[in-house]
Amino acid sequence: MKTPSTAKLIADLLYDYENEPETTFGDLVDGIEDLAIETGDLELSLAISKYRIEERYDRKYLGMRGDMDSVEADFIEAVRLLAFARTFSEDRNASAALDNWDYTLINSTIEKGQPYPAVLIYKVIGAREHELPLLEKAGYTLFNDTYLPPSAGKTAD
């Protein structure tokens, strides 16, 4: 089972805070702090530390009467930016993984001159960009729901 990404977990915490009335700002901060500890994410830890310092100052010197709204808004913005950066980074890593596509199945199919189900091209992520050009280069043509090798195309006429 694939574990959710840090960006997804941050997004879930933010969603709960913004959409669930029983979720308080303290719950959000605690959730982000737990996530930072669990993942060892230094940037999340830094955002938590900055918020906690402001919170302690407000409690100790201002008797919890200070303006924490701007501090809370800054914390939420920092967490959003971190989630966005993680999402962008994860998307780039996923894109790099596609560049390491495994061509074993498609090459074997082409070598043996076997038909190839179109569903494998249209339903599998990345197959259209990777496998379809190989089939077309090898002379395969689409017939009904199957890509047929050049030899099958000649006999089907």
Side-chain angles (χ1 to χ4, degrees):
M1 176 184 221
K2 185 179 177 187
T3 58
S5 67
T6 303
K8 171 77 169 108
L9 294 171
I10 292 170
D12 289 345
L13 290 168
L14 287 169
Y15 179 85
D16 288 346
Y17 171 67
E18 293 168 350
N19 296 295
E20 302 294 332
E22 67 274 357
T23 303
T24 65
F25 184 78
D27 295 334
L28 172 65
V29 173
D30 291 342
I32 297 292
E33 187 171 37
D34 291 343
L35 182 60
I37 292 168
E38 182 181 317
T39 61
D41 190 306
L42 296 177
E43 291 173 318
L44 277 180
S45 296
L46 183 60
I48 290 291
S49 295
K50 186 176 178 181
Y51 173 77
R52 294 290 189 205
I53 288 168
E54 294 291 335
E55 184 182 48
R56 265 192 306 279
Y57 180 84
D58 183 51
R59 184 179 307 118
K60 186 173 182 178
Y61 297 107
L62 303 175
M64 298 195 67
R65 292 185 303 269
D67 179 21
M68 288 296 287
D69 290 342
S70 64
V71 174
E72 291 174 2
D74 288 346
F75 175 78
I76 289 173
E77 183 63 22
V79 169
R80 280 188 203 289
L81 288 173
L82 289 172
F84 176 76
R86 298 299 183 284
T87 302
F88 179 74
S89 173
E90 289 160 5
D91 288 348
R92 283 187 19 181
N93 291 342
S95 175
L98 283 178
D99 292 340
N100 297 324
W101 193 268
D102 183 8
Y103 292 102
T104 308
L105 175 63
I106 193 74
N107 285 335
S108 173
T109 300
I110 291 170
E111 284 174 17
K112 294 176 183 174
Q114 297 173 327
Y116 197 77
V119 70
L120 293 178
I121 296 292
Y122 297 107
K123 297 288 184 184
V124 177
I125 296 172
R128 190 165 179 79
E129 292 82 21
H130 295 281
E131 294 183 348
L132 185 55
L134 289 175
L135 287 173
E136 290 174 345
K137 187 176 179 181
Y140 275 66
T141 55
L142 181 62
F143 181 74
N144 290 334
D145 293 328
T146 306
Y147 282 93
L148 298 175
S151 60
K154 291 175 186 169
T155 59
D157 288 338

